[in-house]
Amino acid sequence: MAAEVRPRLTVLSGPSGVGKSTVVAHMRKVHPEVWLSVSATTRKPRPGEKHGVHYFFVTDDEFDKLIANGELLEWAEFAGNRYGTPRAAVLDRLDAGEPVLLEIDLQGARQVKDSMPESQLVFLAPPSWEELVRRLTGRGTESPEVIERRLDAAKVELAAESEFDTTLVNTSVEDVARELLTLMLLSSGE
C-alpha cells in the first residue's frame, strides 16, 4: 500500500468583489466534506453569526496572544479589525488526509506561501476589469470614498496574479466551484 500523501493546503484569493465567498459557499453546499478554515477575528459578531462556525470571535488581547504564540498561519488587519487563520486546526485536518481550503486576502496568501511553501495558491480573477468595477460599485452600500479605495486595492491585487500557481476566471460560480474542487482533489492525490 502506498504511503499516505498529505493533501496540499489550497488557498483561494483574489481581488475584493470577485466572488470568493460566493464560490466557496456554492462548493461547500455541493461538497460539504471540503473543510473551510474558520478565521479568528477581533470584530463583533453580526446578527446570525455563530462563534466557531462563521468566526472565532476574540478580544484584541486574545488575538495578540495568538500572534505571539505563533498560533496563526496568517493574519491581517482590515477596516479596523484583525482576522487570522488558526494554524493547529489546518494542520490537524491536513494530517488527517482531508483537503483544506482557505479563503483569504492577498496579504494572507503571501504569508501562507512563506510558512507553507507546498501550499497551492489559486487566484480568482474577474472576467474583466469592467465586471469587477460593476460588482464593487453595484453593492450600493458603500460611500464613493470606500468604493475608490476598494478599486485601488483591486488594481494592486490583480497585479499579484503571477504569484499564484493557478488562475480561475469567475465567469460562472458553478464552473469555478467545480474547477476549484478538482484542483483540491488532484493536490490531495485522490
Side-chain angles (χ1 to χ4, degrees):
M1 189 165 141
E4 270 302 302
V5 177
R6 181 165 130 172
R8 285 165 79 193
L9 172 63
T10 302
V11 176
L12 180 68
S13 195
S16 175
V18 77
K20 296 181 292 290
S21 41
T22 306
V23 167
V24 169
H26 178 78
M27 186 172 80
R28 296 208 54 234
K29 198 169 74 190
V30 181
H31 294 280
E33 72 277 10
V34 170
W35 190 74
L36 179 69
S37 172
V38 177
S39 297
T41 183
T42 56
R43 83 161 166 74
K44 300 287 173 258
R46 294 184 182 133
E49 285 183 335
K50 293 183 180 66
H51 180 76
V53 176
H54 299 95
Y55 287 97
F56 294 109
F57 296 99
V58 299
T59 65
D60 272 315
D61 284 348
E62 289 169 328
F63 203 94
D64 289 340
K65 283 192 186 103
L66 291 172
I67 295 169
N69 295 334
E71 291 177 45
L72 296 177
L73 198 52
E74 59 80 32
W75 70 275
E77 192 162 331
F78 185 74
N81 295 300
R82 292 182 292 172
Y83 298 82
T85 303
R87 180 186 303 271
V90 169
L91 297 180
D92 289 349
R93 295 290 173 137
L94 290 172
D95 287 342
E98 295 177 44
V100 174
L101 179 64
L102 296 187
E103 177 212 325
I104 52 179
D105 69 357
L106 175 62
Q107 184 184 342
R110 286 173 171 155
Q111 290 177 43
V112 171
K113 194 68 174 178
D114 284 344
S115 61
M116 293 180 73
E118 72 282 6
S119 54
Q120 166 175 241
L121 267 56
V122 179
F123 189 85
L124 189 62
S128 66
W129 172 251
E130 292 71 28
E131 175 62 17
L132 188 64
V133 170
R134 192 183 67 71
R135 289 178 190 178
L136 284 172
T137 55
R139 292 176 175 175
T141 54
E142 283 140 349
S143 69
E145 296 78 32
V146 169
I147 289 170
E148 196 58 43
R149 268 204 316 273
R150 282 181 176 265
L151 291 173
D152 288 344
K155 285 178 189 150
V156 172
E157 290 161 342
L158 284 169
E161 182 182 341
S162 62
E163 297 173 34
F164 288 73
D165 301 312
T166 308
T167 295
L168 299 177
V169 179
N170 193 6
T171 48
S172 145
V173 169
E174 292 80 7
D175 290 350
V176 169
R178 198 168 42 247
E179 290 167 21
L180 181 60
L181 183 71
T182 301
L183 284 170
M184 290 181 71
L185 294 179
L186 285 174
S187 79
S188 67
E190 286 186 26

